Amino acid sequence: MDNHHHHHDHPENDARYLGLTVNSGVNQPPVVNPYMKRRPRRRQLSAGELVEGILKGDVTMLSQAVTMIESLSPEHQSVAQEVIEKCLPYSGKSRRIGITGVPGAGKSTSIDVFGLHVLRGGGKLAVLAIDPSSERTKGSILGDKTRMERLSQHPSAFIRPSPSAGSLGGVARKTRETIVLCEAAGYNNIFVETVGVGQSETAVHSMVDFFLLIQLAGTGDELQGIKRGIMEMADGIVINKADGDNIGPAQLAQAQFRSALHLFPPTESGWQPEVLTYSGYYELAIPEVWDMVDRYFEFVNANGYFERRRLHQARYWMRETIDEQLRSHFYNNPEIAAMLAEKEMRVLSNRQSSFTAAREVLEAYFNEA
Ligand code: GDP
């Protein structure tokens, strides 16, 4: 009776279902209804149709275009590039804000709250992410809707997880291109989230106007634990979880960060980065954090740095795109790949020097082109 979990056991083979015995091994015809065709694939939308939808603010069209940006298929890529090109004239009119912090710093909690705060003033908000370690199916998925519960319900918010794993350059380029489409769709606030570990902060910094660093107090190594380079990129440092017993330590950390910042050379923008405390979870001092962001934008708009930074970023992305395309053109060439493997063996077995091996591979590549 109680062989319920045996492999032959189908619930309907239970004594209670006698007469309904399910037999295995009965061959099924391959197609039940020979006249039934598979549902035809949805027609591929043209770049023009996508752009029209995006400019109307159609979220489905926007999502589809972003999917094409992320696609590896050359066909999708060429549609995507056309869409981006056509959206460019309508882009640029937004505040792009980068948000970083180590896992657990409270990024998703904070973005949820910051986002709602921003949307109370009207407009639209897109939350994008750069996480080179992420794959859709596993691991951390920055920008995942479930992480920003209230924001994801908001009709004026568009949340998109990080493009899935790939080279940082590739992931960052896709996010940068997605910004263009979001802006064309009328999103006048863009958040770009990244995990505060590794190189992705630099990538985010190179595509935003304001870079917000979320920190925690009370770990005892506030200043040692964070890379100097990241602090230098920050336009604002905010210490989260300044609530309950943690208020004192948060204020202490604030004082430490402030004095550390004084040791840094003046910023290019002339803006003096600020250090504030807040609580994302209890929604304390949220307007204060956002006042700082507002003041920053007033400041850099007035002194011309806003425009200058965007131009430098445009040049940076042109170069990054060239670098990335050259690399992928090189490494995706099957003959080069084969030759590389062979040369690597020779180098590893000491039969050839790295330099001559590299030169020969490059010569083969350039001569072929
Ligand atoms: P993320 O990994 O940076 O996105 O961090 P999360 O937003 O997921 O937050 C990590 C943990 O910290 C969660 O358990 C949050 O509930 C908690 N948390 C976030 N913000 C606050 C805060 O302001 N105060 C307190 N006490 N906890 C917080």
Side-chain angles (χ1 to χ4, degrees):
M1 203 63 224
D2 232 74
N3 51 356
H4 217 77
H5 295 289
H6 275 225
H7 57 283
H8 266 308
D9 234 295
H10 189 283
E12 288 174 8
N13 286 341
D14 192 281
R16 282 170 295 173
Y17 296 98
L18 273 180
L20 286 176
T21 314
V22 172
N23 296 304
S24 55
V26 176
N27 285 328
Q28 299 289 323
V31 182
V32 179
N33 175 355
Y35 298 104
M36 197 180 83
K37 292 235 172 68
R38 275 223 210 129
R39 200 155 26 107
R41 284 270 220 87
R42 200 164 15 159
R43 189 176 63 86
Q44 168 77 69
L45 291 163
S46 73
E49 288 168 314
L50 286 167
V51 172
E52 202 188 314
I54 290 170
L55 294 179
K56 275 194 244 156
D58 183 324
V59 177
T60 313
M61 295 287 212
L62 174 62
S63 302
Q64 278 191 37
V66 173
T67 302
M68 295 217 178
I69 286 180
E70 293 171 355
S71 167
L72 294 173
S73 123
E75 216 178 299
H76 289 168
Q77 270 304 309
S78 83
V79 174
Q81 290 310 314
E82 198 182 332
V83 171
I84 295 161
E85 205 59 39
K86 291 197 161 118
C87 283
L88 263 175
Y90 304 94
S91 72
K93 293 175 219 86
S94 74
R95 290 174 163 202
R96 303 171 184 161
I97 294 165
I99 299 175
T100 192
V102 294
K107 291 180 297 302
S108 39
T109 311
S110 304
I111 289 172
D112 206 30
V113 174
F114 291 154
L116 292 174
H117 178 81
V118 165
L119 287 175
R120 252 172 245 130
K124 299 207 284 180
L125 167 68
V127 180
L128 312 176
I130 292 185
D131 180 4
S133 68
S134 100
E135 268 177 56
R136 287 271 157 81
T137 45
K138 60 178 182 192
S140 74
I141 310 176
L142 288 183
D144 187 356
K145 288 185 180 165
T146 57
R147 294 172 64 242
M148 294 147 203
E149 256 176 62
R150 286 177 296 168
L151 202 54
S152 62
Q153 312 284 326
H154 200 293
S156 305
F158 175 75
I159 301 178
R160 185 87 189 182
S162 175
S164 47
S167 71
L168 173 59
V171 172
R173 175 184 52 79
K174 290 169 194 167
T175 302
R176 154 102 184 162
E177 292 174 347
T178 300
I179 292 178
V180 171
L181 303 197
C182 290
E183 289 176 350
Y187 290 84
N188 59 335
N189 294 283
I190 312 279
F191 289 180
V192 185
E193 178 189 10
T194 194
V195 169
V197 288
Q199 294 298 304
S200 48
E201 299 89 346
T202 315
V204 172
H205 184 250
S206 66
M207 64 178 83
V208 298
D209 308 310
F210 183 94
F211 195 67
L212 187 70
L213 174 60
I214 298 179
Q215 286 290 312
L216 291 177
T219 50
D221 54 0
E222 287 88 351
L223 300 181
Q224 296 91 302
I226 94 161
K227 279 160 268 148
R228 197 192 146 97
I230 297 174
M231 249 179 97
E232 267 174 298
M233 281 192 277
D235 301 297
I237 296 176
V238 286
I239 295 145
N240 189 20
K241 310 195 187 182
D243 46 56
D245 290 344
N246 205 30
I247 292 178
Q251 285 169 345
L252 185 65
Q254 180 183 30
Q256 289 173 333
F257 275 110
R258 277 186 178 150
S259 51
L261 279 177
H262 282 305
L263 303 176
F264 287 177
T267 59
E268 228 187 296
S269 57
W271 166 260
Q272 176 65 47
E274 294 184 17
V275 186
L276 300 173
T277 63
Y278 78 107
S279 167
Y281 189 83
Y282 294 99
E283 303 189 26
L284 305 171
I286 307 300
E288 283 80 350
V289 171
W290 232 253
D291 280 352
M292 162 177 70
V293 176
D294 289 340
R295 269 185 282 113
Y296 172 85
F297 277 96
E298 273 168 38
F299 183 84
V300 294
N301 274 314
N303 75 3
Y305 178 76
F306 178 86
E307 200 46 42
R308 214 161 59 239
R309 179 156 166 175
R310 287 242 172 140
L311 290 175
H312 283 154
Q313 289 174 339
R315 183 182 58 186
Y316 173 87
W317 282 100
M318 183 188 88
R319 293 190 177 164
E320 280 293 296
T321 306
I322 291 173
D323 283 358
E324 198 214 329
Q325 305 273 319
L326 283 177
R327 259 170 208 275
S328 75
H329 190 261
F330 178 81
Y331 287 107
N332 289 335
N333 179 321
E335 279 147 56
I336 292 298
M339 193 174 175
L340 262 182
E342 187 227 315
K343 290 290 178 194
E344 275 174 9
M345 296 257 285
R346 291 180 64 83
V347 169
L348 284 174
S349 59
N350 252 327
R351 281 179 291 153
Q352 193 172 14
S353 82
S354 356
F355 306 103
T356 63
R359 202 187 60 229
E360 285 174 27
V361 176
L362 287 170
E363 270 170 10
Y365 179 71
F366 288 124
N367 289 337
E368 197 196 87

